[in-house]
């Protein structure tokens, strides 16, 4: 479902031929969706490469669009940000992910963390640490079962405030991952300055392995650096057994991708968890 509308990017404000009317129309639909929580979370498992056991679930938001069906985040997160509408969506995602995980845990499923994505803008605009604390309290989810995923662009702004916020999140007992690692501009110095647990190797580096030797070199280097710095490494977008074999040989800790499972809706995830219960 995440592909729905992939070819319709010009529908949105980011394109030159999107008319002002379209933008207004989409904005109205989005405001309605926010008022009704017309979103859903899909979940994608992350597994340990060594033994195939579940390590965690990443929550990925979708919009139940009245005209276009289920719309993926690439189609509306940036738009939401440009219309000043990302904060309520992000808050809903955080609360819903924690609520759902707690519900599964109460059923004896998913004794693993859920990972929530936060864009750089969200990270700047919201008091993320305070919000996490209050959502954990409200949902009853234990802090070690929440992770947040940030892109390097968050860390580019080397302000004391970023450090304070990350330390506050860490102090709560919540995990911090760097998403799309290797695609940002920031210096690697942040890896020692900030309390990071995990590096998620961007899908673009994984996609053409093992065939592309440059990509193999990059993935190898990231995994080795992760090990040296005692950060867990996660390969994203793993689609083939050949990639699994390569990553296992390199000592990558975790994998996520279609070869394990696609992102799944709530009910499919629940069935997946039941089937994979250990
Ligand atoms: P991401 O965090 O890098 O998430 C992984 C994306 O890769 C997901 O796309 C997922 O469906 C896709 N993917 C997973 N495995 C494979 C694979 O094996 N092959 C391929 N080709 N793709 C795979 P999705 O769900 O469309 O999400 C796109 C992006 O939207 C995410 O990239 C994330 O940056 C952002 N996003 C998702 N949910 C949220 C959210 O709640 N808040 C914010 N701020 N951003 C979100
Ligand atoms: Ca992510
Ligand atoms: Ca990613
Ligand atoms: Ca990405």
């Amino acid at each position: 479902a995440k592909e729905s509308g992939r070819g319709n990017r010009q529908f949105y404000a980011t394109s030159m031929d999107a008319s002002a009317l379209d933008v207004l129309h989409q904005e109205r639909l989005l405001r309605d969706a926010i008022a009704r929580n017309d979103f859903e979370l899909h979940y994608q498992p992350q597994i340990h490469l060594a033994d195939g056991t579940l390590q965690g679930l990443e929550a990925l938001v979708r919009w139940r669009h009245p005209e276009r069906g289920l719309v993926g985040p690439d189609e509306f997160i940036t738009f939401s940000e440009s219309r000043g509408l990302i904060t309520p969506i992000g808050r809903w995602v955080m609360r819903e992910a924690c609520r759902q995980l707690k519900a599964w845990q109460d059923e004896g499923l998913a004794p693993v963390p859920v990972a929530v994505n936060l864009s750089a803008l969200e990270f700047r605009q919201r008091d993320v640490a305070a919000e996490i604390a209050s959502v954990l309290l409200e949902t009853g989810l234990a802090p070690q079962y929440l992770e947040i995923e940030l892109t390097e662009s968050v860390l580019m702004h080397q302000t004391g405030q970023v450090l304070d916020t990350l330390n506050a999140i860490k102090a709560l007992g919540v995990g911090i991952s760097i998403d799309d690692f290797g695609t940002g501009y920031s210096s690697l110095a942040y890896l020692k300055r900030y309390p990071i647990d995990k590096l998620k190797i961007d899908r673009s580096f994984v996609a053409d392995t093992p065939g592309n030797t440059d990509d193999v070199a990059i993935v190898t280097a990231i995994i080795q650096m992760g090990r040296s710095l005692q950060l867990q490494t996660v390969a994203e977008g793993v689609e083939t057994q050949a990639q699994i074999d390569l990553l296992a040989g390199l000592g990558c800790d975790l994998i996520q991708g279609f070869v394990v499972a696609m992102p799944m809706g709530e009910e499919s995830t629940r069935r997946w968890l039941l089937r994979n219960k250990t």
Side-chain angles (χ1 to χ4, degrees):
K2 80 180 181 59
E3 286 84 3
S4 59
R6 267 275 138 91
N8 290 321
R9 261 168 219 275
Q10 72 273 15
F11 212 59
Y12 287 89
T14 45
S15 153
M16 298 202 295
D17 35 340
S19 77
L21 269 179
D22 276 344
V23 172
L24 284 180
H25 178 58
Q26 293 307 315
E27 179 174 340
R28 187 166 311 115
L29 292 179
L30 192 58
R31 285 183 188 280
D32 289 348
I34 289 166
R36 290 195 300 257
N37 292 334
D38 272 342
F39 300 96
E40 55 188 72
L41 293 184
H42 286 203
Y43 298 89
Q44 189 176 34
Q46 222 171 70
I47 65 166
H48 293 279
L49 203 39
D51 61 6
T53 56
L54 182 66
Q55 186 279 330
L57 296 166
E58 178 175 6
L60 297 157
V61 69
R62 279 92 180 87
W63 172 12
R64 293 190 193 120
H65 194 287
E67 295 157 354
R68 300 169 55 205
L70 220 50
V71 169
D74 285 338
E75 310 294 322
F76 69 92
I77 294 290
T78 306
F79 179 73
S80 307
E81 291 184 340
S82 74
R83 311 313 289 174
L85 295 173
I86 188 65
T87 294
I89 297 172
R91 286 202 177 119
W92 179 85
V93 168
M94 174 94 63
R95 183 162 282 109
E96 173 61 15
C98 292
R99 182 204 65 74
Q100 179 65 78
L101 199 74
K102 181 67 165 75
W104 281 329
Q105 293 191 344
D106 288 346
E107 265 190 83
L109 298 169
V112 295
V114 67
V116 170
N117 293 279
L118 284 174
S119 68
L121 185 75
E122 292 185 85
F123 194 83
R124 280 201 300 279
Q125 288 182 347
R126 289 154 60 187
D127 185 351
V128 177
E131 190 181 320
I132 289 172
S134 103
V135 169
L136 291 174
L137 200 66
E138 181 191 316
T139 58
L141 185 70
Q144 69 266 31
Y145 295 121
L146 179 63
E147 294 177 357
I148 59 161
E149 297 194 359
L150 304 169
T151 55
E152 290 165 277
S153 51
V154 171
L155 311 174
M156 245 167 48
H157 310 269
Q158 292 175 9
T159 63
Q161 205 209 325
V162 171
L163 183 61
D164 289 348
T165 303
L166 292 180
N167 282 335
I169 291 169
K170 190 72 197 165
L172 291 170
V174 169
I176 300 171
S177 307
I178 302 305
D179 207 352
D180 304 345
F181 183 75
T183 61
Y185 308 100
S186 50
S187 91
L188 292 173
Y190 73 77
L191 289 177
K192 60 176 190 182
R193 185 163 42 227
Y194 296 126
I196 293 159
D197 302 296
K198 253 189 205 180
L199 298 181
K200 299 193 74 177
I201 306 167
D202 191 64
R203 190 168 84 216
S204 61
F205 300 125
V206 176
D208 296 330
T209 62
N212 183 308
T213 52
D214 290 343
D215 287 334
V216 171
I218 290 170
V219 169
T220 304
I222 295 175
I223 292 169
Q224 281 173 1
M225 188 179 60
R227 289 165 75 94
S228 313
L229 295 172
Q230 296 184 333
L231 303 170
Q232 276 196 308
T233 47
V234 189
E236 298 190 309
V238 180
E239 295 184 352
T240 68
Q241 184 61 43
Q243 290 167 346
I244 291 184
D245 295 343
L246 172 78
L247 293 161
L250 294 174
C252 185
D253 298 303
L254 306 162
I255 58 166
Q256 183 179 343
F258 295 168
V259 75
V260 179
M262 308 265 295
M264 300 167 283
E266 175 181 331
E267 201 35 51
S268 308
T269 305
R270 187 171 169 279
R271 283 196 300 272
W272 192 95
L273 291 169
L274 277 167
R275 272 200 314 278
N276 289 275
K277 212 169 155 185
T278 41

